[in-house]
Amino acid sequence: MEPQMLDHRLAQEHEELRRTVEEFAREVVAPKIGDFYERHAFPYDIVREMGRMGLFGLPFPEEYGGMGGDYLALGVALEELARVDSSVAITLEAAVSLGAMPIYLFGSEEQKREWLPRLCSGEALGAFGLTEPGGGSDAGATRTTARQDPATGEWVVNGSKCFITNSGTDITALITVTAVSAVGEDGKKEISAFLVPSGTPGLTVAPGYSKVGWCASDTHELFFDDVRVPADAMVGERGRGYAGFLRILDEGRIAIAALATGLAQGCVDESVRYAGERRAFGKAIGEYQAIAFKIADMEMRAHFSRLGWRDAASRLVRGEPFKREAALAKLYASEAAVGNAREAAQVFGGYGFMNEFPVGRFYRDAKILEIGEGTSEVQRMLVARGLGVG
């Protein structure tokens, strides 16, 4: 019998994409992003270039303006961007896996043809309105409501959402919102999803948050006060909004794992460089075993994070179950990113506490990865349930 060989290398088209995005991140993003980060400003010029490269359309078919790629391609791009900066990476991640993907997976043909070409080109951004104040991980406790006006057929949305990425930029075109569309006699909520175009009367975008990290990304709280949308604004089947968005979150965890892997690897890149340049007590600090072993452990975490998200993405692309693998990848990679950011700051010493150095930004950006798109506690719960315990 011929031996079966596992090959974890990227296919040629994915490797070419990786190199292209790596060069873009190094030559375009790296020199500029620190200034945007310090000013808490959204990097429109960088986003436009990403649009011209086709990054926002990576996993979507060409018939809708996409690049005809897959979720593995999106992960490759996210990892390379996050090796340099997470604000840019999360802008892409949220725009694709949260903003456009619900329309692609669950939208009508008319919705796809109306919205996806603009979203795939990067000309417009979409946002994902799920999290609510007081809700957090309990997304099923949705309080935002949508009632149908019997006279016009329009849906009238009332409520609020919080921590919504890409929801208040000059190019934000729409927000997909989950809302309670009915309550059964048993008190069970029927949750549906609705497209709310930016600028719709009654939609208020609050001022941007003052955040610890991701300071060059766009994040807002949203308020809906009798926001009226047409009857055909519903995304997918009535009452299937919550189930649909659980699927979106499963896929999004793979994307966040790829992003976290990029941050973890960026910490290694910066630490290796600095350990070779910085001298103490007569020699480069990388020659000291304490520093060398620290960096070796960082590389270990980045390496296995990469294997984890690529395995989950490959299962998704092949049409196989991937929920457990996505949770494992997101859990491990996010905690690896936090660990590597902490250790990189230690390698850099006092300079690791300065925002002018990438590791200072990495340190501020890492923690949210253990929280967003499912906390580490939620991931452990999902893995445990899959094993029949917990």
Side-chain angles (χ1 to χ4, degrees):
M1 179 183 293
E2 290 290 329
Q4 293 285 322
M5 302 297 291
L6 290 175
D7 190 348
H8 296 290
R9 293 173 297 179
L10 294 173
Q12 181 178 350
E13 62 270 24
H14 289 108
E15 176 59 23
E16 290 174 355
L17 171 67
R18 190 200 65 77
R19 291 176 181 172
T20 299
V21 180
E22 178 188 30
E23 181 180 3
F24 171 77
R26 184 178 63 250
E27 297 185 1
V28 177
V29 178
K32 301 177 180 179
I33 197 60
D35 176 61
F36 287 104
Y37 198 96
E38 286 293 299
R39 294 187 290 112
H40 289 237
F42 189 76
Y44 288 100
D45 290 345
I46 292 174
V47 169
R48 275 192 289 270
E49 291 194 50
M50 290 163 60
R52 287 193 287 268
M53 293 171 65
L55 299 187
F56 290 96
L58 277 173
F60 302 112
E62 294 179 10
E63 66 178 302
Y64 299 121
M67 297 294 288
D70 54 27
Y71 220 85
L72 183 61
L74 174 63
V76 167
L78 289 171
E79 180 180 335
E80 291 303 322
L81 288 171
R83 284 178 70 174
V84 169
D85 178 71
S86 291
S87 293
V88 170
I90 195 60
T91 297
L92 176 63
E93 190 276 337
V96 176
S97 67
L98 301 180
M101 193 61 73
I103 299 173
Y104 174 63
L105 290 179
F106 309 116
S108 66
E109 188 64 24
E110 292 76 14
Q111 288 170 339
K112 293 177 185 179
R113 296 200 177 278
E114 178 181 0
W115 294 106
L116 286 181
R118 293 177 63 203
L119 298 176
C120 287
S121 71
E123 171 191 340
L125 297 178
F128 173 95
L130 177 65
T131 305
E132 297 189 0
S137 297
D138 187 6
T142 300
R143 295 183 179 180
T144 298
T145 61
R147 62 174 179 83
Q148 194 163 26
D149 186 332
T152 65
E154 294 176 316
W155 289 97
V156 184
V157 181
N158 284 280
S160 63
K161 301 289 179 178
C162 62
F163 310 137
I164 309 304
T165 305
N166 292 343
S167 58
T169 74
D170 293 344
I171 56 174
T172 299
L174 78 154
I175 302 150
T176 304
V177 179
T178 51
V180 178
S181 50
V183 178
E185 293 182 0
D186 58 357
K188 186 176 181 179
K189 296 177 180 178
E190 172 192 272
I191 299 177
S192 303
F194 302 88
L195 290 177
V196 179
S198 298
T200 301
L203 169 61
T204 300
V205 179
Y209 290 100
S210 175
K211 297 176 291 185
V212 171
W214 286 358
C215 295
S217 75
D218 179 81
T219 318
H220 299 265
E221 188 171 9
L222 306 174
F223 299 95
F224 303 85
D225 183 11
D226 285 342
V227 172
R228 288 179 170 266
V229 294
D232 60 4
M234 183 178 287
V235 183
E237 299 177 25
R238 179 169 179 166
R240 296 291 297 170
Y242 182 59
F245 278 103
L246 288 179
R247 163 63 189 266
I248 293 296
L249 289 176
D250 285 338
E251 294 189 1
R253 285 165 185 152
I254 300 174
I256 292 295
L259 191 159
T261 300
L263 190 153
Q265 188 64 58
C267 290
V268 176
D269 299 341
E270 293 296 322
S271 296
V272 168
R273 179 190 60 76
Y274 188 73
E277 296 174 354
R278 176 75 164 89
R279 300 184 67 80
F281 306 105
K283 58 183 180 181
I285 63 172
E287 296 181 40
Y288 294 102
Q289 190 176 80
I291 299 297
F293 281 13
K294 193 182 294 291
I295 295 175
D297 286 344
M298 293 162 60
E299 175 69 6
M300 174 188 67
R301 286 189 286 265
H303 175 76
F304 287 109
S305 296
R306 183 173 300 109
L307 293 180
W309 83 253
R310 287 186 181 179
D311 174 58
S314 296
R315 291 171 185 269
L316 168 59
V317 170
R318 293 195 299 266
E320 299 173 1
F322 66 92
K323 187 182 186 76
R324 184 191 70 161
E325 287 73 19
L328 286 167
K330 199 271 185 183
L331 173 61
Y332 185 84
S334 62
E335 296 192 349
V338 170
N340 277 17
R342 182 181 59 249
E343 297 288 41
Q346 193 72 17
V347 169
F348 271 70
Y351 292 111
F353 202 62
M354 301 295 128
N355 284 327
E356 64 185 281
F357 288 85
V359 295
R361 298 199 305 271
F362 293 163
Y363 189 83
R364 293 172 63 178
D365 291 339
K367 181 58 188 175
I368 188 61
L369 297 171
E370 294 182 320
I371 300 172
E373 294 204 36
T375 63
S376 293
E377 291 77 12
V378 166
Q379 307 315 312
R380 286 184 166 89
M381 178 184 69
L382 292 172
V383 174
R385 284 179 178 175
L387 294 171
V389 298

